């Protein structure tokens, strides 16, 4: 068990390594069985770690990267039941796990047909209740759930049920409205409007949840409201739009109409400085979590941008990162989920009040 105390915040790593190999004719069955075997009981609660399997089927070694349960995770989000959805760009699939770590389903393949992907980068869960609120995470009130995927190299957004049934898609390659060059992050506001970041056409586009274009803002540059590779986009609990401006090493904040509010961050390795901010998430108190990918860490800020804490360092071990990208916070469990892309795993952190351990 590893616990780190960081400036008054105590984080416990529940590292999830998804790296099992299996014969192609029974991949899903083997993955589910292996996931079930890696559950342990600790302190009266069930906590799961997805530890690297000691068994590597040598007859699949030539497919090493794509034979892993997760080979290159990027987008990550959590539904009202605590299920975890991971975009795996290594095999162009979406993988769904329950909160105990058991693989439930996976869908997608390489291609340009509906339900296929070419680098599914970002994802966002939409929970709709009877009052048509779109970000309701109260399980008893949720009536419908959907997931949106940014299909990067197909230049489009795809919408599915959370069971993987295709619903609709929109977008094409280009520089106009509802066109994309390098689509990246995606999020929803409380009215159900979608915000999408385009890394190479530095801008944010806003749509209805069915794909109707509303507006667009941003351009290449270093001034307020300009971007150099806007990596992600996330809407805070008070409906402010946060954009990690990767190339400018800052976080920019806007109204939902694109009006500039403020920004924070400079280039560097010190507290509150960045080397390629990539992902943003919020807890229910409005605190802001940022994956600082080049510095191999996660930084925590108050809602006004005051630095609070950070955790992580470069490496391949527990609590270490190699290009951390997407991040999601589950307030119900107190867990922080981080896609550790180049280490081919998802790492999960919790506060010191969560008693748990990892299994290897």
């Amino acid at each position: 068990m590893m616990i780190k105390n960081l400036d008054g915040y105590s984080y416990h790593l529940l590292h999830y390594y998804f790296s099992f190999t299996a014969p192609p004719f029974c991949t899903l069955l083997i993955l589910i069985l292996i996931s079930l075997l890696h559950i342990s009981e600790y302190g009266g609660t069930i906590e799961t770690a997805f530890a690297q399997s000691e068994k590597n089927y040598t007859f699949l070694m030539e497919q090493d990267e794509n034979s892993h349960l997760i080979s290159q995770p990027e987008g990550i989000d959590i539904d009202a039941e605590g299920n975890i959805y991971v975009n795996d760009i290594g095999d162009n699939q979406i993988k769904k796990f329950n909160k105990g770590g058991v693989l439930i389903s996976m869908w997608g393949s390489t291609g340009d047909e509906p339900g296929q992907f070419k680098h599914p980068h970002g994802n966002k869960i939409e929970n709709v209740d009877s009052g048509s609120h779109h970000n309701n995470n109260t399980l008893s009130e949720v009536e419908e759930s959907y997931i949106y995927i940014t299909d990067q190299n197909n230049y489009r957004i795809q919408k599915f049920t959370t069971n993987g049934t295709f619903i609709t898609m929109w977008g094409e390659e280009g520089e106009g409205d509802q066109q994309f060059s390098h689509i990246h992050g995606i999020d929803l506001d409380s009215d159900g409007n979608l915000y999408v970041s385009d890394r190479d056409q530095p801008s944010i586009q806003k749509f209805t949840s069915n794909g109707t274009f509303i507006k667009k803002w941003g351009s290449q540059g270093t001034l307020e409201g300009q971007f150099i590779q806007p990596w992600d986009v996330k809407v805070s609990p008070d409906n402010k739009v946060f954009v990690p401006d990767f190339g400018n090493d800052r976080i920019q904040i806007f109204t939902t109409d694109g009006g500039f509010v403020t920004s924070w961050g400079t280039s560097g390795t010190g507290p509150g400085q960045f080397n390629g901010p990539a992902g943003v998430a919020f807890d229910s108190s409005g605190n802001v979590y940022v994956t600082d990918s080049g510095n191999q860490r996660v930084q925590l800020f108050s809602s006004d941008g005051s630095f609070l804490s950070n955790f992580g360092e470069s490496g391949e071990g527990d609590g270490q990162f190699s290009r951390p990208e997407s991040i999601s916070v589950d307030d119900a469990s107190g867990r922080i989920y981080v896609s550790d892309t180049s280490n081919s795993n998802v790492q999960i952190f919790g506060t010191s009040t969560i008693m748990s351990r990892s299994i290897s």
Side-chain angles (χ1 to χ4, degrees):
M1 180 169 64
M2 177 183 297
I3 296 179
K4 294 185 177 181
N5 294 307
L6 300 162
D7 299 333
Y9 287 79
S10 185
Y11 291 92
H12 173 78
L13 172 66
L14 312 172
H15 71 286
Y16 278 42
Y17 287 111
F18 305 92
S19 56
F20 302 102
T21 56
F25 59 84
C26 59
T27 300
L28 181 57
L29 176 60
I30 294 296
L31 296 176
I32 292 173
L33 289 173
I34 292 174
S35 296
L36 285 166
L37 288 172
H38 283 77
I39 299 176
S40 74
E41 186 171 31
Y42 184 81
T45 61
I46 299 297
E47 298 291 347
T48 306
F50 299 68
Q52 183 170 354
S53 172
E54 296 178 357
K55 296 181 179 179
N56 288 312
Y57 298 92
T58 56
F59 52 87
L60 286 181
M61 287 301 291
E62 72 274 9
Q63 298 179 7
D64 180 67
E65 182 171 306
N66 287 330
S67 62
H68 289 175
L69 186 53
I70 287 185
S71 58
Q72 284 185 279
E74 286 200 346
I76 187 167
D77 205 4
I78 306 155
D79 67 19
E81 295 181 345
N83 297 315
I84 307 152
Y85 300 76
V86 181
N87 290 16
D88 192 342
I89 64 171
D91 55 14
N92 288 311
Q93 288 185 323
I94 312 303
K95 293 170 180 176
K96 177 180 178 180
F97 303 86
N98 69 18
K99 58 187 176 183
V102 177
L103 180 69
I104 299 172
S105 64
M106 56 187 180
W107 70 89
S109 60
T110 303
D112 55 15
E113 296 298 318
Q116 294 184 314
F117 305 104
K118 292 180 180 178
H119 197 131
H121 190 280
N123 67 20
K124 175 60 184 175
I125 299 294
E126 178 184 29
N127 296 315
V128 184
D129 62 22
S130 59
S132 296
H133 299 108
H134 294 260
N135 274 329
N136 190 337
N137 287 320
T138 303
L139 179 58
S140 61
E141 298 176 1
V142 173
E143 293 192 347
E144 299 174 329
S145 293
Y146 307 99
I147 184 169
Y148 299 84
I149 307 294
T150 55
D151 188 7
Q152 180 177 296
N153 294 332
N154 281 323
Y155 313 102
R156 65 189 181 187
I157 298 163
Q158 295 199 61
K159 180 178 181 179
F160 301 85
T161 68
T162 51
N163 290 322
T165 301
F166 173 81
I167 297 175
T168 189
M169 63 184 181
W170 67 90
E172 61 184 3
E173 185 176 8
E175 297 184 357
D177 298 344
Q178 209 170 357
Q179 295 180 324
F180 305 107
S181 297
H182 196 114
I183 189 171
H184 247 232
I186 188 167
D187 204 13
L188 283 158
D189 64 22
S190 59
D191 294 323
N193 297 310
L194 282 164
Y195 300 79
V196 181
S197 65
D198 192 324
R199 195 195 76 175
D200 291 352
Q201 181 190 156
S203 61
I204 305 299
Q205 294 196 53
K206 180 178 179 179
F207 303 89
T208 68
S209 59
N210 290 319
T212 301
F213 176 81
I214 298 176
K215 72 176 307 171
K216 177 180 180 179
W217 73 86
S219 60
Q220 178 81 12
T222 60
L223 301 177
E224 294 178 352
Q226 295 184 319
F227 307 107
I228 298 177
Q229 296 186 333
W231 214 262
D232 195 9
V233 58
K234 286 292 183 290
V235 182
S236 67
D238 62 349
N239 265 358
K240 295 293 191 300
V241 180
F242 283 62
V243 180
D245 189 2
F246 189 93
N248 282 320
D249 289 323
R250 64 186 179 184
I251 305 297
Q252 294 202 63
I253 305 169
F254 303 87
T255 66
T256 54
D257 290 325
F260 177 81
V261 176
T262 189
S263 66
W264 73 71
T266 57
S267 298
T269 60
Q273 296 184 315
F274 299 111
N275 181 12
V280 174
F282 311 94
D283 62 26
S284 58
S285 298
N287 295 315
V288 186
Y289 300 76
V290 181
T291 52
D292 186 8
S293 63
N295 286 324
Q296 316 299 344
R297 65 185 179 184
V298 174
Q299 296 201 64
L300 171 61
F301 301 86
S302 66
S303 58
D304 64 1
S306 299
F307 173 81
L308 298 176
S309 182
N310 67 76
F311 57 93
E313 61 185 4
S314 180
E316 299 179 355
D318 297 350
Q320 297 179 325
F321 298 115
S322 180
R323 196 161 68 91
E325 286 230 1
S326 295
I327 184 168
S328 188
V329 176
D330 182 13
D331 279 310
S333 66
R335 293 177 178 178
I336 304 163
Y337 296 75
V338 182
S339 289
D340 188 12
T341 302
S342 293
N343 277 333
S344 301
N345 65 59
V346 173
Q347 297 200 49
I348 299 183
F349 300 83
T351 64
S352 58
T353 59
I354 298 177
M355 297 300 294
S356 49
R357 63 183 178 185
S358 61
I359 307 168
S360 58

